[in-house]
Amino acid sequence: MIAQGRRVITEAMEAEIEALAPRYPNRRALVLPALHIVNRELLHVPLDAVVDIAAVLGLPPAEVQDTLSFYQFFPQEKPHGKVRAFVCRSISCALRGGDELLEKLCHAHGIHPYGTTPDGELTIEPAECLGACDFAPCILANDDLLMNMTPEVAVTELKKPRRRAT
Amino acid sequence: MTPFKPVLLEAVGVPDGHTLASYRGRGGYAPLEATLAQKQPNDVVEMVKASGLRGRGGAGFSTGLKWTFLPKDHPGPIYLCVNADESEPGTFNNRILMEDDPHQVLEGTILSSFATRASTAYLYLRYEYPRSWHRLQAAIDECYAAGLLGRNILGSGFSLDIYLHRGAAAYICGEETGLIESLEGKRAWPRIKPPFPAIEGVFKKPTVVNNIETMACVAQIARRGVDWFKSIGVPADPNNPRDPGSYGPKLYCLSGHVEKPGCYEAPLGITLRQLVDQHGGGVWKGRRAKAAIPGGISMGLFTEAEFDTPLDFAGPGKVGCLGLGTAAVVVIDDQTSIVDFLHNSCRFFAHESCGQCTPCREGTSWSLRILERIRAGRGRLKDLDILLELGTTMGMMPGSTICGLADGAAWPIKNAINKFRGEFEDFIKRTNPAGWMVTDPVPALTIVGAH
Ligand SMILES: Cc1cc2nc3c(=O)[nH]c(=O)nc-3n(C[C@H](O)[C@H](O)[C@H](O)COP(=O)(O)O)c2cc1C
Ligand code: SF4
Ligand code: FES
């Protein structure tokens, strides 16, 4: 993974980041919001974007990369699927079939956990408690909470196109 | 006894209950208007102190007292961080408050900011709550339009901005100093305390961190009064001068093997059995319970025989649990393996440890590896002693870590093994007939990876 030296963030993204600046007393606090904005648009945050964000915020790229790497949330090598499905594996979901749900979904879509389908449509990721244990087992697919899932229903749900995550 | 009427959840099921108009119709924001017109910040601090309100985020620290730790006559800025990172497995009450009654949360936040003289409040919201994000942002926009936020609120001279800030799927951002570091744009490594956030918090300024449900309670105390709040719950134990009591209504999350999972409001001190039977419709499928998590997975386990323990701040500790935590109850039926439960718990903490402290980083990851090996049929009785040693040595309480995540990892290990040792031993002997008695080191399984 090396930076290509191309500018990848757009002026619109930069303007959106800049619009948040008055909320914070320094620009480092904009790192996480900026990462979210870029990831929302590019479905990943490649190293070039890290360099761009650092330039916009006036920070060393290493500081941005340091923060990014902590969260394991922003893919860098390649984009996640157009639908990013977080399948809960924590206790309340596990007690109601969460682990089986994850396994069957990965099998049905022919990918491993954290993998993306070859057409780039779907990424399936194990997740910790989604805060929706009243609907266990559950999945967060982009902005949609899929509740009380069975493997059968979930397989079809995850084939549907969805609005982008906000 | 008169039936208990939900207050914190009064908007649930009300059409458009999340709007400003609906909230005002229920009496909302009138207390804020009266406070700004007639009261001083210190009056609000005194009110909250007198109510006995204890923080709902997990630690149960007195909210009013925490506010008094801020430096007096500080030139500012002072910050309020509202903790909506809610990630403790089993917990979802903050989500319901934010989705169904965001204005209750905001009124509490504005009152608390006034009390603490904060002019900016950051609401740190976990990424996985997009619906809460939109509901809160819409409610904040309504407040600005109505003059309830911004410069010189309602002509009082008090100014406040509330900003939403989204996390990125890391449990440790719920720990208050992890939250602060994350908000500052850094990795969410909890800070060594002291200094406590009240002295040096976010952006090196005095900071108060409070939970979403705590904010909702502040709004209701302002509306209904200290006496109302103190009339609910469990009074302080007169024989224990260090017990501040457990006052007020509480949101209990109920999930796992119950017929009707959900978020239920009840007076602090309801027993786990009452909660399951009266609200949850009993254990699912007519089965019996084997155990339950009393307040989020970090708090450990009740055995079925302990279900009559009251879920107040003092109750769970009496049966060896860590505390009330988030009051999230997860019921485990008698057909579930405690080995599987503990494996799930260890996997969670191994994944979520931030890695700063060796006992936590190594302890959580080794406990997972040992559980993987036990489940694979290569456990030894000696492993239970090793697990117990990990469980008793990692954490803030034994003094080996920076934050409480490690205590939360340790408690399920200790409780599960101490309370269900027979089941572990049976499992190990049954699945590893040739090797359960070995005490020499054994090769680890190659681990698929905690992450
Ligand atoms: C590992 C860990 C995770 C935590 N997660 C949360 C959380 O998600 N939400 C929360 O309000 N408090 C959480 N807390 C507790 C906070 O550190 C803090 O005590 C709380 O937000 C204070 O608010 P309160 O006094 O209103 O309860 C967590 C603590 C630890 C040690
Ligand atoms: S106890 Fe664990 S989570 Fe907390 S600071 Fe130490 S390593 Fe990080
Ligand atoms: S355990 Fe799956 S949503 Fe909470």
Side-chain angles (χ1 to χ4, degrees), chain B residues 308-320:
Chain B
D308 293 309
T309 308
L311 297 173
D312 58 21
F313 286 106
K318 291 178 185 156
V319 293

Side-chain angles (χ1 to χ4, degrees), chain B residues 55-57 66 83 85-87 171 174-176 209-211 214:
Chain B
R56 300 318 200 210
K66 188 192 279 189
N83 191 342
D85 194 55
E86 187 166 74
S87 311
Y171 172 66
E175 196 279 341
E176 56 186 3
V209 183
N210 274 133
N211 172 262
T214 309

Side-chain angles (χ1 to χ4, degrees), chain A residues 22-26 28-29 31-33 36 66-67 69-74 86 89-92 94-96 99 114 128-135 140 142-143 165-166, chain B residues 79 89-92 95 122 126-127 129-130 134 163-168 182-189 203 255-258 261 330-331 341 344 347-348 351-352 450-451:
Chain A
R23 299 179 167 201
Y24 307 97
N26 67 41
R28 182 147 191 192
V31 169
L32 202 46
H36 275 305
D66 184 73
T67 301
S69 66
F70 178 79
Y71 292 97
Q72 303 186 330
F73 181 83
F74 306 100
F86 295 99
R89 65 175 187 185
S90 288
I91 191 65
S92 305
L95 289 169
R96 286 173 170 254
D99 284 325
Y114 301 103
E128 302 300 351
C129 181
L130 295 170
C133 329
D134 40 349
F135 302 118
L140 183 70
N142 292 354
D143 280 359
T166 45
Chain B
Y79 293 104
T91 314
F92 48 89
R95 184 198 92 228
Y122 295 105
R126 67 178 305 196
Y127 171 81
Y129 281 177
H134 293 296
Y163 300 124
L164 301 182
H165 190 94
R166 279 181 112 177
S182 174
L183 182 55
E184 290 184 353
K186 304 175 190 157
R187 46 177 64 209
W189 272 358
F203 307 123
S255 65
H257 294 154
V258 290
V330 183
V331 175
F341 160 79
N344 186 279
R347 182 175 67 185
F348 174 78
H351 186 240
E352 298 301 335
H451 295 287

Side-chain angles (χ1 to χ4, degrees), chain A residues 109-128:
Chain A
H109 291 276
I111 50 177
H112 288 294
Y114 301 103
T116 302
T117 51
D119 60 6
E121 290 296 319
L122 175 68
T123 299
I124 297 178
E125 299 186 27
E128 302 300 351

Side-chain angles (χ1 to χ4, degrees), chain B residues 313-337:
Chain B
F313 286 106
K318 291 178 185 156
V319 293
C321 290
L322 184 50
L324 180 63
T326 61
V329 171
V330 183
V331 175
I332 299 167
D333 74 16
D334 60 357
Q335 308 202 6
T336 306
S337 158

Side-chain angles (χ1 to χ4, degrees), chain B residues 407-429:
Chain B
D407 303 78
W411 243 263
I413 297 176
K414 285 196 290 193
N415 281 179
I417 295 181
N418 286 330
K419 297 185 183 187
F420 295 92
R421 187 160 191 135
E423 187 179 332
F424 279 98
E425 293 187 350
D426 289 348
F427 180 89
I428 290 170
K429 287 182 177 167

Side-chain angles (χ1 to χ4, degrees), chain B residues 125-176:
Chain B
L125 180 70
R126 67 178 305 196
Y127 171 81
E128 295 88 334
Y129 281 177
R131 197 174 152 87
S132 298
W133 163 264
H134 293 296
R135 280 276 164 90
L136 281 167
Q137 191 56 56
I140 289 172
D141 293 345
E142 281 185 308
C143 283
Y144 276 104
L148 294 164
L149 280 175
R151 297 295 95 196
N152 190 18
I153 296 171
L154 304 171
S156 64
F158 171 62
S159 300
L160 176 69
D161 289 304
I162 301 182
Y163 300 124
L164 301 182
H165 190 94
R166 279 181 112 177
Y171 172 66
I172 198 58
C173 294
E175 196 279 341
E176 56 186 3

